């Protein structure tokens, strides 16, 4: 996008109107009040579609999250003041970037902030799932533990197992660092192969055939964006390729997995287990999926740290201030065609 597109907007007041769709860290909200005419969401209830439309009709900047679907219809009906969508989070699949570009509306995100937090949670799910710690904890809590036995509650060790990583961006690489420390063999599938030096540093091998990755891995971890091409990347056919002792971990987006196919595989023990932090229809989650004893499920906690959430908020403020001052924001999201 050219500089002329970036600055082509109605004159901004000294305190531009900024609508924030969810509750942010207190320090971030306080700073927003100081700098902008900020409309904050104190109840923290997701805005309805009509509330989003009303906000976009008058504000200069919208600050949405992954819980807000900002589609073409909303963008095309936005008021003339809207010049920026400053997304809280790195993923932007919930925003129609092409429609925003057509209206000359800048889109920014907060990349890199939650990399380590999400990688930590990914590895926690991997350990919990492979070692069957959930089943062990439930046995103890339910009063069903009969004492230690040499063949009871067996899981799988991580050392010398193969971890397949689908999507080798920042988070995928951070997961690979952790897997290396646990002595795992790392293979990855990505749209573009990493430089050889980076592969060597991560001790990771490129697998161009994603189907082979699923067939040969002891655990598969998903870190690719949700697109038309990756929607239901993990379907019944893909699961059928996996080892019966393998597990799947998803801290990316719920739509990457066909949940109906997954729950059938879990119930029939065609795979050993799954660890999920994201779901296809959040906050609704299939009761049948949650009932699977070999599932470890968390309520979208990948980025849920005090440090990460506050840093992301301040990153949004910086992006807005760059734009208000007539400069290109550091975290502007560009269409792939650019």
């Amino acid at each position: 996008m050219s500089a002329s597109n970036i600055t082509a907007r109605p004159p901004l007041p000294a305190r531009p109107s900024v609508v924030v769709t969810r509750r942010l860290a207190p320090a971030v909200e306080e700073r927003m009040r100081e700098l902008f005419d900020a409309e904050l969401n104190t109840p923290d209830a997701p805005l309805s579609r009509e509330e989003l439309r009303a906000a976009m009709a008058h504000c200069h900047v919208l600050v949405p999250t992954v819980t807000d679907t900002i589609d073409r219809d909303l963008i095309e009906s936005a008021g003339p003041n809207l010049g920026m969508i400053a997304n809280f989070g790195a993923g932007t699949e919930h925003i129609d970037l092409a429609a925003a570009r057509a209206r000359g509306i800048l889109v920014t995100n907060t990349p890199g902030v939650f990399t380590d937090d999400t990688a930590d949670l990914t590895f926690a799910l991997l350990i919990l799932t492979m070692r069957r710690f959930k089943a062990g904890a439930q046995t103890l809590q339910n009063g069903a533990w009969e004492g230690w036995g040499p063949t009871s509650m067996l899981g799988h060790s991580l050392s010398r197992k193969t971890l397949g990583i689908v999507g080798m961006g920042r988070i995928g690489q951070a997961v690979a660092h952790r897997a290396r420390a646990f002595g795992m063999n790392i293979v990855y599938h990505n749209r573009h192969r990493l430089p050889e030096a980076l592969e060597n540093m991560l001790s990771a091998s490129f697998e161009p055939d994603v189907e082979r990755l699923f067939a040969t891995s002891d655990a598969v971890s998903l870190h690719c964006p949700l697109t038309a091409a990756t929607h239901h990347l993990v379907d019944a056919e893909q699961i059928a390729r996996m080892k019966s002792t393998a597990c799947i971990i998803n801290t990316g987006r719920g739509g990457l997995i066909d949940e109906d196919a997954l729950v059938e595989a879990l119930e029939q023990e065609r795979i050993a287990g799954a660890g999920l932090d994201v779901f296809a229809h959040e906050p609704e989650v299939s009761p049948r999926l949650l009932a699977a004893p070999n599932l470890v499920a968390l309520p979208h906690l990948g980025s849920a740290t005090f440090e990460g959430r506050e840093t992301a908020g301040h990153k949004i403020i910086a992006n807005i201030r760059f734009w208000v001052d007539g400069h290109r924001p550091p975290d502007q999201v560009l269409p792939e065609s650019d």
Side-chain angles (χ1 to χ4, degrees), residues 203-215:
S203 298
S205 301
F206 179 61
E207 175 52 77
D209 186 344
V210 70
E211 295 177 355
R212 187 182 300 121
L213 180 145
F214 273 85

Side-chain angles (χ1 to χ4, degrees), residues 1-9 103-106 323 326 328:
M1 186 177 290
S2 67
S4 61
N5 291 128
I6 293 171
T7 58
R9 51 176 164 76
R103 280 289 306 269
I105 298 171
L106 239 69
W323 176 70
R328 175 171 171 163

Side-chain angles (χ1 to χ4, degrees), residues 38-288:
E39 299 179 33
L40 305 175
N41 186 349
T42 303
D44 199 31
L47 299 186
S48 68
R49 185 172 181 81
E50 290 312 308
E51 288 173 326
L52 283 171
R53 191 185 303 276
M56 295 169 69
H58 73 273
C59 69
H60 298 94
V61 181
L62 180 74
V63 181
T65 74
V66 68
T67 63
D68 305 301
T69 299
I70 312 300
D71 57 22
R72 178 175 296 275
D73 174 60
L74 286 179
I75 291 172
E76 289 181 345
S77 65
N81 285 335
L82 184 63
M84 183 178 188
I85 298 174
N87 187 59
F88 184 95
T92 56
E93 66 276 359
H94 56 293
I95 302 171
D96 192 322
L97 298 180
R101 186 186 192 199
R103 280 289 306 269
I105 298 171
L106 239 69
V107 178
T108 61
N109 64 348
T110 58
V113 174
F114 302 123
T115 297
D116 285 327
D117 294 334
T118 306
D120 288 345
L121 182 134
T122 298
F123 225 80
L125 284 174
L126 181 64
I127 295 172
L128 287 168
T129 304
M130 291 188 68
R131 291 294 308 276
R132 299 183 62 207
F133 285 163
K134 173 189 170 183
Q138 288 179 334
T139 298
L140 188 63
Q141 292 166 355
N142 294 338
W145 187 44
E146 298 178 351
W148 181 89
T151 60
S152 64
M153 299 304 302
L154 300 182
H156 290 280
S157 62
L158 279 69
S159 178
R160 296 183 295 280
K161 296 299 189 301
T162 296
L163 174 64
I165 299 176
V166 182
M168 201 62 151
R170 292 183 181 92
I171 297 174
Q173 292 174 34
V175 170
H177 275 294
R178 287 153 176 77
R180 182 183 182 189
F182 275 75
M184 301 189 79
N185 303 314
I186 305 160
V187 296
Y188 75 95
H189 177 82
N190 204 47
R191 285 182 300 174
H192 307 291
R193 184 169 183 173
L194 299 180
E196 183 178 356
L198 185 53
E199 286 185 343
N200 292 338
M201 184 181 74
L202 297 171
S203 298
S205 301
F206 179 61
E207 175 52 77
D209 186 344
V210 70
E211 295 177 355
R212 187 182 300 121
L213 180 145
F214 273 85
T216 58
S217 297
D218 297 296
V220 177
S221 190
L222 305 179
H223 303 287
C224 51
L226 179 61
T227 65
T230 61
H231 180 258
H232 284 187
L233 169 70
V234 183
D235 56 13
E237 292 183 4
Q238 201 73 279
I239 293 172
R241 296 185 180 95
M242 297 176 67
K243 301 177 182 179
S244 61
T245 54
C247 67
I248 187 161
I249 309 297
N250 187 13
T251 58
R253 288 291 183 262
L256 297 173
I257 296 179
D258 180 342
E259 291 182 353
D260 290 335
L262 177 62
V263 74
E264 288 188 11
L266 292 173
E267 289 174 345
Q268 298 173 20
E269 298 186 351
R270 293 204 298 268
I271 59 173
L276 307 180
D277 186 45
V278 289
F279 304 90
H281 305 291
E282 297 179 13
E284 296 180 8
V285 182
S286 163
R288 184 180 164 198

Side-chain angles (χ1 to χ4, degrees), residues 9 12-14 16 36 61 84 319-327:
R9 51 176 164 76
L12 288 170
F36 315 123
V61 181
M84 183 178 188
N319 282 321
I320 296 173
R321 295 188 71 181
F322 266 83
W323 176 70
V324 169
D325 291 340
H327 303 298

